[in-house]
């Protein structure tokens, strides 16, 4: 019984993390991996920067433009 309870607990917490809501628009944040390339002035090689962003209605226009 104790095991079942703790599993349900974890599932609830995971769901809460996934469904993080934006306080401004009330939309659910969608995690998105944005990769941008940057050319180094010194070695002329290309460096890739990865960053994770949380997208909602407030910033989707900036990110997808
Ligand atoms: Zn928002």
């Amino acid at each position: 019984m104790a095991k079942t309870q703790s599993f349900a607990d974890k599932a609830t917490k995971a769901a809460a993390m996934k469904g993080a809501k934006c306080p401004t628009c009330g939309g659910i944040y969608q995690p998105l991996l944005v990769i941008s390339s940057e050319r180094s002035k010194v070695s002329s090689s290309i460096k890739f920067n990865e960053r994770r962003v949380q997208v909602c209605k407030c910033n989707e226009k900036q990110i997808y433009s």
Side-chain angles (χ1 to χ4, degrees):
M1 278 305 199
K3 271 186 185 172
T4 312
Q5 184 122 33
S6 69
F7 177 77
D9 239 39
K10 278 180 190 171
T12 309
K13 276 176 191 168
M17 293 257 300
K18 270 190 181 177
K21 265 191 179 181
C22 172
T24 310
C25 69
I28 307 286
Y29 286 128
Q30 301 291 326
L32 183 78
L33 187 66
V34 177
I35 301 164
S36 55
S37 59
E38 199 176 274
R39 192 178 285 271
S40 166
K41 284 170 189 167
V42 182
S43 62
S44 78
S45 61
I46 296 171
K47 190 176 135 194
F48 291 98
N49 295 313
E50 280 187 15
R51 65 194 174 99
R52 281 184 190 279
V53 290
Q54 302 284 88
V55 186
C56 70
K57 281 176 187 169
C58 303
N59 62 4
E60 67 180 1
K61 280 178 187 168
Q62 284 171 263
I63 286 161
Y64 292 117
S65 66

